Amino acid sequence: MIYELRTYTCYPGTVSKVLEMWEKEGKAMLDPYFKMVGQWTTETGTVNQIITIWEFKDMNHRQEMRNALLAHPGFLEYLAECRQYYITQTAEFLSATALSPIR
């Protein structure tokens, strides 16, 4: 398994709007393709962030699911709407160590 750590830094005051959009629209589109491990908001350090971890079998699986999601009806419009609230977006790929309880 690989894990994608996605961090969205939002404009001040817009984190709740983005989360509301994800709950009302995005979740239904994402769920068939991406398996969410967890999602958090930041309270200290760099604030106004949404941090999400997605699980994939491997990088090929991730690319297949991403391509399918991008072809999902309405997803590109939804994505464009969300992006207006983002200052930055980062993605890091994580591989579990032998000590990790999540593999």
Side-chain angles (χ1 to χ4, degrees), residues 1-6 52-56 59 91-97 102-103:
M1 292 292 171
I2 63 162
Y3 298 89
E4 181 177 1
L5 175 72
R6 257 301 152 136
T52 307
I53 298 179
W54 304 102
E55 178 183 280
F56 300 97
M59 290 299 282
E92 298 176 64
F93 295 94
L94 311 171
S95 296
T97 68
I102 298 174
R103 300 216 185 177

Side-chain angles (χ1 to χ4, degrees), residues 28-97:
M29 288 187 263
L30 287 158
D31 280 353
Y33 310 105
F34 284 29
K35 179 182 177 188
M36 183 187 289
V37 175
Q39 186 174 70
W40 303 266
T41 57
T42 54
E43 299 292 330
T44 61
T46 305
V47 295
N48 300 310
Q49 290 187 324
I50 302 167
I51 299 170
T52 307
I53 298 179
W54 304 102
E55 178 183 280
F56 300 97
K57 294 175 190 171
D58 55 34
M59 290 299 282
N60 289 331
H61 177 239
R62 181 207 178 257
Q63 192 59 50
E64 289 170 12
M65 294 299 99
R66 184 168 170 75
N67 290 343
L69 178 60
L70 291 172
H72 187 98
F75 183 74
L76 292 178
E77 293 80 8
Y78 165 78
L79 189 58
E81 188 178 348
C82 282
R83 284 182 172 162
Q84 69 181 322
Y85 300 107
Y86 301 160
I87 298 170
T88 61
Q89 173 183 331
T90 61
E92 298 176 64
F93 295 94
L94 311 171
S95 296
T97 68

